[in-house]
């Protein structure tokens, strides 16, 4: 049985890609077979793992639109980490528009994924910063959503919109979608707003907030430029330790 988990928040710069990449690497390090799918035309999850492919190379676009092509799955970290990556690049921006002309466009990723997902314990989807067709496809294909949230005042407003979209997706396309949890990212210990935000989410929205809080850690922002998840860049740093802890929490099972 594989668990498909979307890392989503329509807000940019909240730590989606950092969470998707490092969660995937941590789960892989703990012995799970993991496929990371870069669902963002910006291709940050791909470049953050050292994969820079030109705009004609097979990517998620190929996977979604050409069922006869072999799935373009790479293993950029082998032999250190046997984690699989389905990359993307700027060409995926056109996919978003192209998908609209397909019948049942919202379920294309779900259907395509069903042909490959059984080989993996976890499939992690790094969503783009929008609620467009690629995010809708990701949420339709997923059983769980992990929502990275930066601890700031405006984060709550964006969250309400996202939770609303999740409710709509449940009604229309995917009744099995559950919120695995909200993960607080870029936490600054000197600022107690984080605790207020966490309490507010628990009290007012009733959603689970992961016990693990990801601190602001410069190692996390440096590692993508070396094409590495933080675990292979500086295994002892707080970013690496907390993402490992988060992956253990996720493995222990999500609650809606
Ligand atoms: N915990 C963290 N500590 C320090 N920098 C971080 C942390 N999480 C993310 N970043 C940096 O913040 C920026 C935005 O993060 P990213 O994961 O790309 O967000 P998103 O995918 O939501 O747009 C990136 O430059 C990333 O390296
Ligand atoms: Mg991103």
């Amino acid at each position: 049985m594989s668990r498909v988990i979307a890392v989503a928040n329509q807000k940019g710069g909240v730590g989606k890609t950092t969470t998707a990449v490092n969660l995937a690497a941590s789960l892989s390090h703990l012995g799970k077979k993991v496929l990371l799918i870069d669902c963002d035309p910006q291709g940050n999850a791909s470049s953050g793992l050292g994969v820079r492919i030109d705009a004609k190379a097979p990517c998620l676009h190929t996977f979604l639109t050409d069922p006869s092509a072999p799935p373009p799955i790479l293993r950029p970290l082998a032999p250190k980490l046997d984690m699989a990556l389905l990359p993307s690049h700027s060409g995926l921006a056109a996919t978003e528009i192209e998908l609209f002309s397909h019948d049942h466009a919202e379920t294309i990723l779900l259907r395509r994924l069903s042909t490959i997902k059984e080989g993996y314990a976890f499939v992690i989807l790094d969503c783009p910063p929008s609620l467009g067709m690629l995010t809708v496809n990701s949420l339709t294909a997923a059983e769980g959503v992990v929502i990275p949230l930066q601890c700031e005042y405006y984060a709550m407003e964006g969250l309400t919109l996202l939770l609303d979209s999740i409710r709509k997706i449940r009604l229309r396309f995917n009744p099995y979608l559950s919120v695995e949890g909200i993960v607080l990212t870029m936490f600054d210990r000197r600022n107690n707003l984080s605790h207020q935000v966490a309490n507010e989410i628990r009290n007012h929205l009733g959603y689970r907030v992961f016990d693990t809080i990801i601190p602001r850690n410069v190692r996390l922002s440096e590692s993508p430029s070396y094409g590495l998840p933080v675990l292979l860049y500086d295994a002892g740093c707080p970013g690496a330790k907390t993402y490992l802890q988060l992956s253990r929490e996720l493995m222990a099972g999500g609650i809606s």
Side-chain angles (χ1 to χ4, degrees):
M1 271 284 283
S2 66
R3 273 170 81 187
V4 182
I5 299 203
V7 180
N9 188 330
Q10 77 281 7
K11 220 173 158 218
V14 296
K16 284 183 293 298
T17 301
T18 306
T19 297
V21 164
N22 290 298
L23 202 52
S26 300
L27 289 165
S28 176
H29 175 76
L30 293 171
K32 300 291 171 191
K33 283 204 82 175
V34 180
L35 170 64
L36 172 65
I37 305 187
D38 189 347
C39 303
D40 185 354
Q42 291 179 88
N44 292 341
S46 308
S47 61
L49 293 175
V51 173
R52 284 173 205 282
I53 44 179
D54 73 70
K56 289 205 175 66
C59 76
L60 181 61
H61 175 87
T62 329
F63 182 65
L64 292 177
T65 57
D66 184 0
S68 65
I73 290 175
L74 310 173
R75 286 196 154 65
L77 304 173
K80 286 186 184 143
L81 216 49
D82 183 31
M83 184 180 112
L85 169 75
L86 211 165
S88 102
H89 51 63
S90 56
L92 191 65
T95 314
E96 184 118 48
I97 299 155
E98 214 180 296
L99 286 182
F100 279 105
S101 64
H102 283 249
D103 287 341
H104 308 293
E106 297 85 358
T107 56
I108 291 183
L109 179 59
L110 173 77
R111 284 177 279 135
R112 294 291 294 128
L113 208 49
S114 69
T115 63
I116 59 165
K117 73 173 185 184
E118 287 314 320
Y120 302 95
F122 284 91
V123 178
I124 307 287
L125 309 172
D126 182 27
C127 293
S130 75
L131 293 170
M133 199 45 113
L134 289 164
T135 298
V136 168
N137 261 270
S138 299
L139 294 176
T140 301
E143 288 128 44
V145 199
V146 168
I147 305 173
L149 199 77
Q150 217 181 326
C151 306
E152 54 177 23
Y153 179 71
Y154 293 115
M156 294 292 287
E157 289 179 17
L159 183 61
T160 312
L161 187 65
L162 178 60
L163 293 172
D164 203 42
S165 300
I166 290 172
R167 258 177 240 121
K168 284 184 187 139
I169 300 243
R170 265 196 206 124
L171 284 174
R172 296 188 58 194
F173 307 113
N174 182 7
Y176 305 108
L177 182 64
S178 73
V179 175
E180 297 276 345
I182 292 163
V183 55
L184 301 180
T185 63
M186 294 180 242
F187 173 66
D188 182 351
R189 257 187 306 144
R190 292 160 299 182
N191 179 347
N192 71 5
L193 182 63
S194 302
H195 297 294
Q196 288 173 20
V197 170
N199 284 338
E200 210 163 318
I201 294 165
R202 282 194 195 98
N203 296 340
H204 293 290
L205 299 172
Y207 279 96
R208 162 163 116 133
V209 181
F210 285 103
D211 290 336
T212 308
I213 294 180
I214 308 297
R216 188 172 282 284
N217 179 209
V218 71
R219 298 310 226 187
L220 284 169
S221 54
E222 287 168 355
S223 59
S225 60
Y226 293 87
L228 294 172
V230 73
L231 203 60
L232 296 182
Y233 176 64
D234 182 354
C237 75
K241 287 183 186 161
T242 47
Y243 272 114
L244 261 178
Q245 203 180 316
L246 182 68
S247 68
R248 288 199 179 93
E249 250 193 89
L250 190 71
M251 276 163 60
I255 321 159
S256 181

